[in-house]
Amino acid sequence: MTGSEVPPSFRLAYVPGVTPTKWVRIWNERLPDVPLTLVAVSAAEAYEALRGPDADAGFVRLPVDRDDLSAIPLYTETTVVVIPKDHVMAAVEEVSAEDLADEIVLHPLDDVFDWETPPGRPAYERPATTADAIELVAAGIGLLVVPQSLARLHHRKDLTYRPVTGVPESRVALSWPQEETTDLVETFIGIVRGRTVNSTRGRSQTPPQPKTKRPTTGGAQRKPASGKTSARSGGKPSRGGSGAPKGAKRGKPRRRS
């Protein structure tokens, strides 16, 4: 390697709530000589990171701008409401958007949902981040609707959560710049999609090799071994063959006197 060459590497961005551990482990097993660097970004920063020099690919939340970014949807998360453990809703297994109508529901500035009309009553002021909103829920100031992964990420012993119906859901996708679909990006796509290590997708395939011809003998065909019957005789020995002495006459056997 010359001094001007840069060793290969891969930078993977991910938004809060996504756990890329499994895919990173598989990458390290298959490409131990290509280091993978994790880049933690907020949901709002993810797309600029992909368009800039900070990331080759990333786990983001849909929707993405399809004009310059490619995306493969991976899974849809359950939406939950974060509540204090002593809240009345903690006694039920599931709540609906209508159940939140009389509650103050916090709507942080980094909210990942594309709300048409957020549920509940709005707070006097929007928290800056989801982490700030969690602190307000713990203080009894309001409730918070988030994807389940974010509720787990900001887990507190004094808080719990319940699934909510009738509200938007968050979808997680793998995204990368359309014009930067490199071999390493293709390799990571294969890992995320569960392709085996022997998959040829994204790799240059070896051209088929010509078959080796069997050498010709250059002589006459082999003759059958002496004493074997031929197909033309129907399996019977030919006349005058080795089955009778030379010059012997064929006839009926004589009767003994």
Side-chain angles (χ1 to χ4, degrees):
M1 182 177 67
T2 65
S4 60
E5 293 179 346
V6 178
S9 63
F10 192 73
R11 296 154 301 175
L12 179 66
Y14 68 101
V15 297
V18 175
T19 305
T21 307
K22 176 182 69 173
W23 298 301
V24 173
R25 175 181 55 80
I26 297 174
W27 175 280
N28 291 334
E29 291 173 354
R30 296 185 183 180
L31 291 88
D33 297 329
V34 182
L36 187 153
T37 302
L38 289 174
V39 182
V41 295
S42 68
E45 298 170 338
Y47 307 113
E48 292 307 316
L50 293 176
R51 293 185 175 102
D54 296 332
D56 300 296
F59 292 109
V60 302
R61 296 185 185 276
L62 295 176
V64 302
D65 188 349
R66 298 283 184 159
D67 290 338
D68 62 336
L69 296 176
S70 297
I72 300 174
L74 299 178
Y75 57 89
T76 301
E77 291 197 77
T78 300
T79 302
V80 301
V81 57
V82 181
I83 55 178
K85 279 193 171 179
D86 58 356
H87 195 278
V88 64
M89 291 184 184
V92 299
E93 296 183 356
E94 185 179 84
V95 300
S96 66
E98 290 76 14
D99 295 330
L100 302 175
D102 295 330
E103 302 283 347
I104 294 177
V105 178
L106 303 168
H107 188 44
L109 296 176
D110 65 353
D111 195 342
V112 299
F113 294 119
D114 185 17
W115 297 103
E116 291 185 5
T117 304
R121 294 157 47 206
Y124 178 74
E125 185 177 355
R126 294 181 65 182
T129 66
T130 298
D132 293 336
I134 290 288
E135 295 295 329
L136 294 176
V137 174
I141 295 176
L143 309 182
L144 177 64
V145 177
V146 291
Q148 184 170 310
S149 64
L150 291 182
R152 290 174 174 172
L153 178 65
H154 297 287
H155 171 71
R156 290 176 51 124
K157 293 183 178 180
D158 54 348
L159 300 179
T160 187
Y161 57 83
R162 293 292 182 269
V164 186
T165 61
V167 293
E169 295 175 319
S170 175
R171 294 189 297 160
V172 175
L174 176 65
S175 182
W176 67 95
Q178 292 179 4
E179 296 183 356
E180 298 293 334
T181 309
T182 63
D183 288 343
L184 291 180
V185 170
E186 284 282 7
T187 298
F188 193 76
I189 293 171
I191 290 173
V192 171
R193 284 185 159 177
R195 296 186 194 133
T196 65
V197 69
N198 295 323
S199 173
T200 56
R201 179 71 179 269
R203 304 177 187 175
S204 58
Q205 299 188 16
T206 304
Q209 301 296 322
K211 294 183 179 179
T212 304
K213 294 183 178 180
R214 299 177 65 180
T216 58
T217 58
Q221 296 180 353
R222 289 183 61 186
K223 295 182 180 180
S226 176
K228 291 186 177 180
T229 61
S230 65
R232 183 173 295 180
S233 63
K236 297 180 181 179
S238 59
R239 297 183 63 180
S242 60
K246 188 175 182 182
K249 295 182 178 180
R250 297 175 61 87
K252 297 181 179 180
R254 293 182 179 180
R255 296 179 61 184
R256 292 183 182 181
S257 56

